[in-house]
Amino acid sequence: MSADIIDGKAFAATIRGKVADHVKALHDEHGLVPGLAVVLVGEDPASQVYVRNKGKQTEEAGMASFEHRLPAETSEEDLLALIARLNAAPAVHGILVQLPLPDHIDEAKVINAIDVAKDVDGFHISNVGLLATGQKALVPCTPLGCLMLLRDRLGALSGLDAVVVGRSNIVGKPMAHLLLRDSCTVTVAHSRTRDLAQVCRRADILVAAVGRPEMIPGDWIKPGATVIDVGINRIPAPERGEGKTRLVGDVHFESAAQVAGAITPVPGGVGPMTIACLLANTVTACCRAHGLVEPEGLTA
Ligand code: NDP
């Protein structure tokens, strides 16, 4: 068997197109422009690239982008004061604080200072609780993207066996809650799980969010399963030249693609969905703030 390759890049473009359509309608019908504020503290090069991409894609979708770049030595007090200003700003519907923050700043305190209704990363403790109790929440972008890919591929997920490998707060746990909400039978595996191979083999849906290059081989996968590989790992690629590297997922793609029904590649699978879902969450937050109908197909 040879798996279908799930084209996350193309699907993310479709989501961004839906976002742009909705943004246009909000503007034309209600005079509204959804706004996303991104806060970056420090000069971490990877974070700078993420923030630039987020700003670019926000504007391409017709939304307002507000970037706040602060020096690494910014105090927690000053950062909290900025968050308070953004919470109060009517033009800002979504606030994202790029993580990680410098060590002298309490990350949880900052995230929980964001207005729950503007927490488009879905990391605020109240959004975590709302998701866990099956209420209307803003949902973390990466697991939301995985859910959209799964629904697009499989339709209804009800009754399927889903295994999530990884229990982080940003991917594994919210993913498990979303799958549970769609009536999957969910198992969450982690570093202490016994016989991980056997656990994975019962999955109709396997989501890998571990951060270990190619650790899940094809013979851990149930024939026909849908495999969502969240992992992004950079490994040496001497075959491409001295000092060269390449990106791989947590799943061994070549062997898994022989067994799975469908699989996301790395890169080009889950990765592009994250920013698309950030834009979707910003539109959702804007609609909720103004008591308007939420965009269909852009929420959990
Ligand atoms: P974390 O490091 O926070 O969590 C990793 C999880 O994997 C932990 O729950 C850990 O278990 C588990 N784990 C580690 N080793 C094993 C093992 N040998 N067997 C089973 N489980 C194991 O990572 P994140 O959730 O933040 O990220 C996971 C991956 O996803 C990374 O590669 C990251 O780069 C990528 N990622 C991609 C995104 C995107 O596509 N946009 C966004 C976010 C993340 P335990 O809890 O027991 O320690």
Side-chain angles (χ1 to χ4, degrees), residues 126-298:
S126 295
N127 274 318
V128 174
L130 289 167
L131 173 62
T133 51
Q135 301 179 69
K136 199 184 259 190
L138 283 167
V139 174
C141 303
T142 300
L144 177 58
C146 296
L147 183 75
M148 286 183 183
L149 291 173
L150 284 166
R151 284 178 176 167
D152 182 62
R153 165 82 196 172
L154 297 168
L157 309 183
S158 177
L160 295 176
D161 274 319
V163 173
V164 180
V165 190
R167 56 172 164 179
S168 73
N169 290 333
I170 61 166
V171 189
K173 283 185 199 142
M175 187 75 248
H177 283 302
L178 286 171
L179 291 165
L180 203 51
R181 225 157 77 158
D182 270 25
S183 298
C184 292
T185 302
V186 182
T187 304
V188 183
H190 45 77
S191 66
R192 306 296 173 89
T193 297
R194 285 190 208 151
D195 201 353
L196 184 60
Q198 213 43 45
V199 171
C200 290
R201 279 186 196 117
R202 64 170 184 253
D204 301 309
I205 293 170
L206 181 64
V207 181
V210 184
R212 289 181 178 257
E214 302 178 318
M215 72 164 269
I216 298 180
D219 69 352
W220 290 16
I221 289 166
K222 180 176 176 176
T226 303
V227 177
I228 303 290
D229 191 352
V230 183
I232 301 176
N233 310 288
R234 193 166 281 287
I235 61 166
E239 72 280 5
R240 293 184 179 182
E242 205 189 309
K244 295 283 184 200
T245 59
R246 67 188 174 102
L247 291 180
V248 295
D250 292 338
V251 177
H252 184 265
F253 184 82
E254 286 74 20
S255 59
Q258 299 302 310
V259 190
I263 184 167
T264 57
V266 177
V270 174
M273 290 299 292
T274 298
I275 298 186
C277 287
L278 174 66
L279 305 183
N281 275 350
T282 305
V283 172
T284 301
C286 177
C287 292
R288 288 181 187 170
H290 293 275
L292 299 170
V293 180
E294 289 173 23
E296 220 169 280
L298 296 181

Side-chain angles (χ1 to χ4, degrees), residues 30-41:
H30 304 282
L32 287 169
V33 179
L36 173 65
V38 178
V39 180
L40 173 64
V41 185

